[in-house]
Amino acid sequence: MSQHLLLPFVILAISPIPGALHDSALSPTQEEPEDLDCGRPEPSTRIMGGSEAQPGSWPWQVSLHQRGGHICGGSLIAPSWVLSAAHCFVTNGTLEPATEWSVLLGVHSQDGPLDSAHARAVAAILVPDNYSSVELGADLALLRLASPARLGPAVRPICLPRASHRFAHGTACWATGWGDIQEADPLPLPWALQEVELRLLGEAACQCLYSRPGPFNLTFQLLPGMLCAGYPEGRRDTCQGDSGGPLVCEEGGQWFQAGITSFGFGCGRRNRPGVFTAVAPYEAWIREQVMGSEPGPAFPTQSWEPQPSPWEPTDENCTIALPECGKAPRPGTWPWEARVMVPGSRPCHGALVSESWVLAPASCFLDPINSDLPRDLDNWRVLLPSRPRAELVARFMPHENASWDDTSDLALLQLQTPVNLSTALRPVCLPHPEHYFLPRSRCRLARWGRGEPEPGPSTLLEAELLGGWWCHCLYGRQGESVPPPGDPPHALCPAYQEEEEAGRCWNYSHWSLLCQEEGTWFLAGISDFSSGCLRPRAFYPLQTHGPWISHVTRGAYLEDQLTWDWGPEGEETETQACPPHTEHGACGLRPEPAVMGILWPWLAEVHVAGNQVCTGILVAPGWVVAATHCVLRPGFTTVPYIEVYLGRAGASPLPQGHQVTSAPPLLCQTEGGSWVLMGMAVRGSQELFAAIGPEEAWIAQTVGEAHFLPPNGYPHWPPEGSDLCPADLARASGSPQAALLLLLLLLPLIQG
Ligand code: ARG
């Protein structure tokens, strides 16, 4: 069930409670119990702040079951009363029938024989009238048990605070539950109760943390009756399935319930502490509901005088936590760069993603024929920056789809000993599934997998991310709809300037894509073999793998999106479908203008006789159209030496002494967004074009794969003032065969 602000989730970084239930006699050292003794677990060897806890440590914790399964937590406050969260019982504004629920008391591990545990049916569920949804507060519920609980060492009530009770900010309190151990990562068997120490955060501090805009500008307003507990740096928190469970604080040997687990943004995220329903403000409501039942809950008076100082200092300064991952002294010096050495093969490049785990392509280690797991882990070594010695590998965990799905070519390697992080050695940040790398993000290509034998300058290639729509449609099918921002994209397209020598296809090398947000680097994608030489290349996004990585590593640095400014217009094209495409990609799609000039992916530089440069247009994988006058000079009897450069026109300056001599081609945009080559400038003119249309037959015959728009796909004329295309094409002149030249490229552009 579990509601949440944005994402579903529960208790993080809580150590399991080992051992079996054991009953022992309780020494009743009560002080002034009101109606009944409360808040005193059996005195035990429990170590506060440590990771060892014991069954029976939290005897008021109950599990609320519906249809045989744990849904929410709760706390026993009197023999016949359990306190929980309203949202556990209200679906679409309707209170679920009490008969569907049962309460499990005195339970530690929910798997196996529930020895000292017992269950009670629920007679009634009471929710405040003003409860509507978690973000609006009043998220509490009272459950009246059909018959009183059997109190004993493992089943005892918690004390409730009076309305005047003050819990000091910074107090270390404990939350307990059987909820998820990370976002979307359920508690594994044997489902033992988890505990986590959380610090109470002041209202101002909490509001300040939450006011830091997050992904999609989602923030929320902390309301009276709510309280926050956790840490700015996150990592310890409650999560989905913990709701309704107690947040308890010890005062003078007695435990009081300060809060009820209510909601959060994700679980354990930075600057997103858990939000609880504060119990103290509901003293009157609780008393009213339980009136007449004997014994009722205990509201012991606070043993110390609450400070007269304002209980919420407004000047509380807000200490935002900054990401621990993804900081690099300078691009190329990557503190997460890991090289995995396996005897008999070249080093495999990967990335450190936590203190203990390295992510690398599984294909480095898996035999493609028999997908047996490698057995010689003892001989593997991992080289990390600033570490004097190589690390030993304890575990190898390939992605389950690694051997047949390129997008999942990933494996995690656990180091035998976790490393101490420093400025020179730190993990790269990983994106959450809803991460959206903004168009124009600054990215770099980094080595990945077996890479190139020599780390050429290409390892530092700078790139700029194209918008999701462009990237999707450059590779997508006609009519395909584009995932909206926030949905995991199918591909990430960095537009980058390739170096001369690197201009060949990197078909056999792997690259990773690192993208920067506010100075923090994310591992955004891994290279995609299937895109051949189409430019810009597509990378497989990594965000879909976040849940797998955090499930395996239990501590990888997943980060929220750090920049979310999509500009006033956002992604205008987000809901559109893709325009026509050819077998080799979408034709006529121009990536949105890059910061440094316009990148037309079909533009070719045709270098004639070493110095003359004119414009060519890629019309099929092996064919470029150029103006005849550019290539064939009067008086020439032979075809000159011609070189064609692709994928860089408009992005890089021409070499010294070269200049483009031919006027640009005439391109017009159709209503569907595709660009169509309408004409090539005739010699000496910027306005007169040789029309392509009449030559369709000639081009089609010569270039089998050229893509012509269907008859209805003609360009539309943009409104006045737009200078995309001249309004009058009538001046386009004929005699195209004299004006047009098709160049056959010798190297096939598309391989693999
Ligand atoms: N609403 C969740 C539940 O139903 C509890 C979420 C708590 N989340 C958090 N980040 N503290 O179990």
Side-chain angles (χ1 to χ4, degrees):
M1 137 119 205
S2 66
Q3 297 182 10
H4 45 94
L5 189 51
L6 223 210
L7 297 167
F9 320 150
V10 187
I11 291 213
L12 278 179
I14 301 181
S15 43
I17 301 173
L21 276 177
H22 65 108
D23 288 13
S24 58
L26 177 74
S27 50
T29 54
Q30 289 94 340
E31 294 134 40
E32 22 102 75
E34 268 204 354
D35 303 274
L36 87 163
D37 187 31
C38 65
R40 292 180 203 279
E42 166 193 0
S44 74
T45 53
R46 190 176 63 240
I47 302 153
M48 304 306 290
S51 54
E52 286 271 322
Q54 288 190 10
S57 305
W58 311 108
W60 42 80
Q61 173 79 46
V62 305
S63 167
L64 303 180
H65 280 224
Q66 189 184 34
R67 291 176 209 107
H70 167 92
I71 304 289
C72 271
S75 55
L76 188 71
I77 58 165
S80 293
W81 291 95
V82 160
L83 185 61
S84 185
H87 80 257
C88 296
F89 313 98
V90 178
T91 334
N92 303 329
T94 315
L95 190 62
E96 288 168 10
T99 48
E100 287 185 3
W101 291 85
S102 62
V103 175
L104 223 56
L105 302 114
V107 63
H108 172 66
S109 158
Q110 298 217 26
D111 174 45
L114 302 173
D115 295 340
S116 63
H118 63 283
R120 286 291 179 266
V122 178
I125 302 175
L126 312 169
V127 165
D129 291 338
N130 60 338
Y131 171 78
S132 55
S133 70
V134 284
E135 310 93 272
L136 298 179
D139 185 17
L140 76 162
L142 279 168
L143 276 61
R144 188 158 53 79
L145 306 185
S147 58
R150 231 184 313 119
L151 301 191
V155 180
R156 342 193 80 236
I158 181 75
C159 306
L160 295 183
R162 298 184 176 196
S164 56
H165 202 114
R166 295 293 174 258
F167 295 98
H169 309 162
T171 305
C173 300
W174 291 81
T176 43
W178 288 273
D180 292 357
I181 53 166
Q182 301 190 103
E183 291 182 22
D185 202 353
L187 179 67
L189 284 168
W191 300 327
L193 182 67
Q194 308 285 298
E195 62 177 19
V196 68
E197 188 178 25
L198 300 175
R199 290 197 176 271
L200 299 186
L201 282 156
E203 188 186 301
C206 180
Q207 185 63 68
C208 163
L209 294 180
Y210 264 98
S211 305
R212 284 280 291 186
F216 313 103
N217 282 343
L218 243 185
T219 59
F220 98 102
Q221 181 64 45
L222 192 71
L223 299 173
M226 294 179 178
L227 80 84
C228 300
Y231 306 85
E233 70 272 19
R235 308 219 139 222
R236 278 173 282 175
D237 196 3
T238 53
C239 203
Q240 288 311 88
D242 290 326
S243 281
L247 174 72
V248 296
C249 313
E250 191 185 11
E251 275 175 25
Q254 200 163 32
W255 290 84
F256 286 87
Q257 181 168 358
I260 304 166
T261 297
S262 179
F263 70 102
F265 179 95
C267 300
R269 296 195 185 192
R270 220 165 32 85
N271 302 324
R272 296 290 181 263
V275 184
F276 297 78
T277 307
V279 178
Y282 292 97
E283 178 190 357
W285 182 80
I286 296 171
R287 284 191 190 274
E288 202 180 306
Q289 310 309 309
V290 303
M291 207 141 60
S293 84
E294 284 300 332
F299 291 88
T301 30
Q302 194 166 18
S303 50
W304 53 282
E305 267 306 299
Q307 296 303 307
S309 64
W311 110 273
E312 279 306 332
T314 44
D315 59 337
E316 188 162 9
N317 49 355
C318 172
T319 33
I320 299 269
L322 297 172
E324 301 253 8
C325 51
K327 288 271 176 294
R330 77 197 117 83
T333 310
W334 308 120
W336 45 86
E337 190 166 66
R339 273 181 302 150
V340 185
M341 323 290 286
V342 173
S345 40
R346 285 215 312 271
C348 176
H349 289 259
L352 188 72
V353 295
S354 77
E355 283 85 339
S356 295
W357 291 88
V358 166
L359 183 69
S363 54
C364 277
F365 315 102
L366 290 180
D367 181 340
I369 315 292
N370 68 69
S371 46
D372 285 355
L373 283 189
R375 259 167 294 208
D376 58 344
L377 286 194
D378 289 354
N379 301 324
W380 294 21
R381 293 291 179 273
V382 177
L383 300 178
L384 293 171
S386 89
R387 298 279 293 179
R389 258 185 291 278
E391 320 296 323
L392 303 177
V393 175
R395 240 174 2 136
F396 172 75
M397 304 280 292
H399 190 286
E400 55 178 354
N401 303 342
S403 39
W404 53 270
D405 176 11
D406 278 351
T407 65
S408 306
D409 183 10
L410 293 170
L412 282 160
L413 288 83
Q414 187 177 26
L415 307 178
Q416 215 145 71
T417 336
V419 295
N420 287 332
L421 304 183
S422 66
T423 38
L425 178 64
R426 67 167 79 234
V428 68
C429 299
L430 299 172
H432 277 294
E434 75 278 17
H435 202 113
Y436 185 79
F437 290 101
L438 297 183
R440 305 272 173 98
S441 290
R442 310 302 306 188
C443 305
R444 295 272 179 163
L445 301 197
R447 300 185 65 182
W448 185 247
R450 300 247 184 262
E452 306 260 271
E454 281 305 309
S458 334
T459 48
L460 281 177
L461 279 183
E462 240 181 288
E464 194 184 274
L465 220 55
L466 298 183
W469 187 83
W470 291 103
C471 180
H472 189 86
C473 291
L474 286 168
Y475 291 95
R477 265 184 237 106
Q478 173 166 5
E480 211 174 295
S481 56
V482 181
D487 278 11
H490 299 183
L492 293 172
C493 299
Y496 48 83
Q497 202 178 309
E498 291 178 28
E499 328 250 325
E500 288 280 312
E501 322 87 292
R504 69 206 145 90
C505 299
W506 291 328
N507 265 358
Y508 304 105
S509 53
H510 255 148
W511 295 90
S512 64
L513 179 67
L514 295 168
C515 294
Q516 204 181 20
E517 285 180 1
E518 290 186 348
T520 295
W521 292 91
F522 284 83
L523 185 59
I526 52 173
S527 63
D528 170 348
F529 283 92
S530 65
S531 62
C533 282
L534 284 182
R535 293 291 183 273
R537 279 177 79 103
F539 281 67
Y540 295 125
L542 209 76
Q543 56 251 67
T544 37
H545 296 298
W548 169 70
I549 297 172
S550 57
H551 173 75
V552 174
T553 64
R554 298 272 167 85
Y557 287 81
L558 268 72
E559 274 290 335
D560 282 329
Q561 197 169 338
L562 301 174
T563 46
W564 39 84
D565 179 11
W566 294 334
E569 75 289 358
E571 279 246 304
E572 272 170 357
T573 46
E574 71 187 55
T575 50
Q576 289 185 14
C578 295
H581 71 119
T582 69
E583 214 182 305
H584 303 286
C587 69
L589 261 194
R590 185 176 66 99
E592 76 271 44
V595 174
M596 332 175 6
I598 288 171
L599 193 83
W600 302 85
W602 47 81
L603 263 202
E605 279 172 32
V606 180
H607 292 231
V608 183
N611 61 350
Q612 176 90 11
V613 182
C614 58
T615 307
I617 297 288
L618 186 70
V619 293
W623 291 92
V624 162
V625 179
T628 311
H629 70 261
C630 158
V631 176
L632 297 177
R633 301 293 148 64
F636 273 78
T637 49
T638 52
V639 175
Y641 177 66
I642 298 173
E643 282 177 315
V644 174
Y645 291 86
L646 289 160
R648 71 174 205 188
S652 54
L654 287 172
Q656 276 267 306
H658 288 53
Q659 44 168 263
V660 176
T661 52
S662 148
L666 177 65
L667 293 157
C668 298
Q669 196 172 24
T670 64
E671 235 150 338
S674 293
W675 289 84
V676 186
L677 177 63
M678 297 299 290
M680 297 296 287
V682 301
R683 186 206 304 257
S685 174
Q686 303 272 345
E687 300 160 84
L688 226 49
F689 298 88
I692 297 284
E695 291 318 305
E696 177 172 340
W698 171 65
I699 297 174
Q701 196 182 9
T702 319
V703 185
E705 315 125 285
H707 191 82
F708 294 90
L709 277 192
N712 60 354
Y714 284 122
H716 75 107
W717 302 116
E720 282 284 348
S722 156
D723 55 3
L724 288 179
C725 289
D728 177 15
L729 259 194
R731 285 190 293 166
S733 75
S735 69
Q737 284 186 19
L740 294 180
L741 187 84
L742 278 164
L743 300 171
L744 172 62
L745 303 177
L746 290 180
L747 263 185
L749 278 176
I750 306 295
Q751 302 168 347

